[in-house]
Every structure is written in structure tokens, then in C-alpha cells.
Amino acid sequence: MTEPAIQQAYEAAKALYAQHGIDTDEVLKKLETIKISMHCWQGDDVRGFLNRGQELTGGISVTGSYPGAARTPEELRADLEQAFALIPGKHKVNLHAIYADTDEQVELDKLEPKHYERWVAWAKEQGLGLDFNPTCFSHENSKDGFTLSHPDENIRRFWIDHCKASRQIGAYFGEQLGQTCVTNVWVPDGFKDNPVDRMSPRKRLKASLDEVFAEPIDPRYNLDAVESKLFGLGSEAYVVGSHEFYMGYGLQNDKLICLDAGHFHPTEVISNKLSSLALFTSGILLHVSRPMRWDSDHVVIMDDELLEIGRELVRHDLLGITHIGLDFFDASINRVAAWVVGTRNTIKALLRAMLEPVEALKQAELEGDYTTRLALTEEFKSYPFGAVWDYYCASKGVPVREQWIRQVKAYEQDVLVARG
Ligand code: RNT
Ligand code: ZN
């Protein structure tokens, strides 16, 4: 049920868009099929539940000390449920290996599907999908800054075994939930200062990945992805798994290539890469994030790059091969709110892209009518997409506009503050 005012605004917007051949009802049907993979690690500042004593390493960093970080799997699931209650649609949760929910003391290389049974039971009950990531950081065996490319064979072996175990866990998720799991390998390996030998670590990483992926897994259950980056804290000079490295690896070995919005030079954008990559790859994984001056992982806002990512996916019909994940962590604000803002924005950006007169714009461009291309693009920026979004939220039973803030505040008072 929608309020009359929301309904009326929607009808008016619908009529306006219809003049350009855009059927808003169809758009919303399409929108509801898109799943966003919400990253669990925003909920507890990338701490996880295995090795809780370990500090966060791997050249990523969370700043802020807002009260209420989840301390247990139960708390994290409760927080995720609260966030999903404020986000329209059915989505996925992206787990890292360190979020195992088990009473056993288990090492990363010995993890098994059983250590995630409670997550699977919960996902089933909630109608959610699950994605997965080996955790190649915050561990004694990653303290030198190298994992899969470590010069020591024993350390490499540990991480290879961890990544192999992770793929099995991903396959278990996919099989149990009837939704393909994406298992994304990201390793922090790199040097703080200029290396002499850039090649050998890359050879070792390549060989390790070959072992990790040696066993075929049914792609209906699990798809592997590989994530590059340019630099991290402590790996400013050189990262083994650079973009070229993983683009080559992914294309040669038919792996999804993961593009994290914060993993490139400051003015380099991932939106401009999609139409190239899509010509050569069978799949793309996105880590939608927001770099601010560096790979700072700020909460995703409705900025030009988010809109452009949405447009590229919609205009070139890439939603079918693209898995959309989020990757940010901000501990200076309410963590549930961080999820809600970033996820709602990502969905809203896709909606805005779907509400553009793509065919007319392409036609104008083809005819060399760049005047119309510019004018129409700009006019559409103030078309009433907000009315369509409000209607969508109402029809999905989630709060319209900023009404959700009140619920997050109430949850904070009732639940989060008590965590101290
Ligand atoms: C790090 C990568 C990676 C992590 C998560 C926690 O730079 O972006 O995706 O953020 O795996
Ligand atoms: Zn990432």
C-alpha cells in the first residue's frame, strides 16, 4: 500500500517518462531483480570473529569509534537485518572468512563449510544470497606484507590452502542457497619502498593462484573473482596484484575481474573500464566504494562516478554479467546507517540510469547531434526520479525518503548503545 501523495507523484512522473518511451513500471520490475552484495565488514570495522585479538592489517584502515560495532555473529546478523529492513529489494551478504560462526578454534587453512552453517541457515530464513572472501590479512602469516606471493613456501602453502578452502565454502553457499556465490580473492602483498625485483613476486602469485583454482567447481555454485589494487598503506611503492596482473590472469583463466572504485589513480574511474572489459570477459565483480584522495573506503554517495557506473551498466546491458558488491568501512557514523546510505544510493543510481532515454541519446550521438545529447542529458538530471524511487520504497514496504533515519536512531538507542 502506498500513500496517496506518493502514488500521485508517481503517476505524474510516470506520465513524464512515458513521453520518452520509458515505462516506469517495467523499470521497477527490472530494478527488483538486481541484487547488491552488502559487505558484512562495515558492521564491525573489518574485525571478524576468528582471531579477535589481531589488529587490522593488509594496508586497509578503519577510522572512527562510533559506539555499537557488532561483537558476535548474532549481533552482526541483527544489524544486517535492521539495515535490510530499510533497503528495498532482496539482496546478498558478502562474508569474509574471518566471520566464521563457530565455537571451534580453527585456523584459516582448515576452514570448512560447517563453520558457516549458521550463516547459511540465517540466509535461507531471510531469503538472502551469500558471497565470500578468503581473509589474507590480519594474521600472523601475513605480517611480512606477503601472502600468496610470499618467498617462503610454507607461508604460501598456508594461504593457498586458505583460498582453496574458501572456494569450497563458496560452493557450499551456492549449492545451499540456490544462488551463485562469488568468491573474491584479494591479497595485500606489496612493498613499502621501491622493489628491485617486481617480477618474482608476480610469478609466485600466478603460480599460487593456479593451485588455488586448480580444482574445477560448478559455476552454478561458485564463481571466482580476483581483485587488483594500485597501492595500500605500507605497500605504496608496489602491489604484486596490480590491475594489469589480474586483468591478464582473469582473462586467461576465465575468472571474474573485480574492479574496486578506490584501487586506481585518483582521477582514474572504473566506470570507463566496464565497456572495455565486457568485450573480453565473461564476468565482472564491482566493489563500489568511494575513495577520497586515496583508497579511503568512504560510504558510497550519489556522486558523478556512482551515477556513471550505473549508466554504463544499464546503457550497455551489462547487469547480467556484473556482480555488484559494496566495499566501504566507516566507524565514525552509525554503521547500520552507513550500509543503508551506501546500498540505497547504489540501487538509486541504477534506477536513475534506467530512467534515461538511452535510445534517443545514442541516436543523437550517432547522428552527430551532440547538442541534443548534451541538452537532453542535462534536462534529465532534474526529471522526477525521486518520485519513482519513493514509490518503489513504499511498494517494497521500506521507509520513504529520510524516514529511515528515525528507525536507525531508535535501533541505536535500544540495541547499539548497550554494547558500549
Ligand atoms: C582492500 C580491498 C578488499 C577489502 C575487503 C575487506 O583494499 O578493497 O576488497 O576491502 O576484502
Ligand atoms: Zn575491495
Side-chain angles (χ1 to χ4, degrees), residues 60 75 115 125 146 187 214-215 242 276 348 414:
I60 52 180
E75 288 182 353
H115 300 117
E125 174 199 298
F146 289 86
V187 296
E215 188 182 329
S242 61
S276 297
K348 207 192 287 180
D414 299 346

Side-chain angles (χ1 to χ4, degrees), residues 310-342:
R311 291 188 184 116
E312 289 297 307
L313 296 177
V314 169
R315 287 178 186 169
H316 315 311
D317 201 14
L318 301 181
L319 286 161
I321 62 157
T322 307
H323 304 262
I324 306 172
L326 304 178
D327 188 10
F328 49 80
F329 19 96
D330 189 338
S332 72
I333 58 172
N334 180 302
R335 293 169 184 79
V336 174
W339 271 323
V340 176
V341 170

